[in-house]
Amino acid sequence: MPVSAHRRPDRAIDPLFVNRWSPRAYSGEEIPDAVLELGFEAARWAPSARNAQPWRFVYSKRHSSSWESFAGLLNARNRQWAGNASALVAVLSRTTHDDGTPILTHSFDTGAAWANFAHQVVLAGWHTRAIGGFDHAAARTVLGVPEDHAVEILIAIGRQAAAETLPDEFRTLETPNGRRPLSAFVSEGAFGTP
Ligand SMILES: Cc1cc2nc3c(=O)[nH]c(=O)nc-3n(C[C@H](O)[C@H](O)[C@H](O)COP(=O)(O)O)c2cc1C
């Protein structure tokens, strides 16, 4: 079923924004480097405070020598589906400028980069699902993340597969979800009561 059967925006936005959704069912097929590079290139053009570009990405392709150590970071629930992704990407962010002052918006800016990545990947015919459920401390060690970088998320990336390929508990969840209306999170002049 097309995404448009589940998601109807209230205003005439570009379809890209609703077409980006996060399946869990992936084919596990090999991902071309060019697809990953497209995503990273889109991330590169995200805005950031003082143009510090604090994002860092460390990836592992399925069947590569680093795959088991990446997949081993996932919590038990996420391991059930993310093991079929074609790549896992660790998203990190630098927490200090060259002069040692803190980059107060490192996570915010890196979130913008992740969004660019996710949307570009959809345009290339692939999908992503962000993962916060993993061992952040182990990721720091396994990936050799320096002290002045924060571990943000993992991204699973793959070609969408049929929901039937998922374990039972995820099968019924494999549908694009909805969103709150603008009135629930936008107000003019002061913080409004939704
Ligand atoms: C920071 C972050 C962490 C997330 N962590 C997980 C996770 O650990 N496991 C999971 O299955 N989905 C995870 N998700 C996916 C969200 O549940 C999903 O993006 C959300 O329900 C909105 O759905 P959509 O991406 O299909 O629009 C995460 C998403 C984000 C942005």
Side-chain angles (χ1 to χ4, degrees):
M1 212 180 285
V3 178
S4 58
H6 301 281
R7 289 182 157 181
R8 293 183 196 284
D10 292 337
R11 290 160 190 81
I13 56 172
D14 192 284
L16 173 63
F17 296 104
V18 287
N19 288 340
R20 185 223 52 81
W21 75 286
S22 306
R24 288 188 179 86
Y26 292 113
S27 69
E29 70 197 66
E30 175 146 8
I31 185 167
D33 288 339
V35 172
L36 289 170
E37 285 168 13
L38 272 177
F40 297 136
E41 180 69 27
R44 180 181 171 215
W45 292 100
S48 60
R50 286 171 56 182
N51 201 20
Q53 304 163 61
W55 43 80
R56 284 292 305 267
F57 300 96
V58 183
Y59 70 90
S60 174
K61 292 166 79 169
R62 195 177 154 82
H63 304 308
S64 73
S65 58
S66 57
W67 179 257
E68 285 308 324
S69 56
F70 271 68
L73 298 172
L74 297 165
N75 68 19
R77 181 173 164 83
N78 287 320
R79 203 170 304 159
Q80 290 183 70
W81 59 268
N84 275 337
S86 299
L88 287 168
V89 181
V91 183
L92 318 170
S93 65
R94 189 176 170 189
T95 57
T96 53
H97 290 288
D98 287 342
D99 63 7
T101 58
I103 302 177
L104 299 174
T105 55
H106 63 92
S107 290
F108 182 84
D109 296 345
T110 300
W114 132 252
N116 278 14
F117 179 93
H119 287 106
Q120 182 61 54
V121 161
V122 167
L123 289 171
W126 293 68
H127 280 82
T128 59
R129 189 172 181 100
I131 300 172
F134 66 96
D135 188 333
H136 286 63
R140 183 170 287 285
T141 307
V142 167
L143 307 178
V145 180
E147 274 302 305
D148 63 349
H149 283 67
V151 175
E152 302 284 358
I153 57 162
L154 294 177
I155 306 170
I157 172 168
R159 279 247 204 236
Q160 195 185 346
E164 290 67 35
T165 62
L166 285 168
D168 282 353
E169 65 172 301
F170 296 120
R171 214 169 290 165
T172 52
L173 304 175
E174 195 69 346
T175 304
N177 54 19
R179 290 296 187 271
R180 295 180 292 149
L182 260 59
S183 59
F185 63 94
V186 181
S187 55
E188 184 177 2
F191 194 93
T193 308

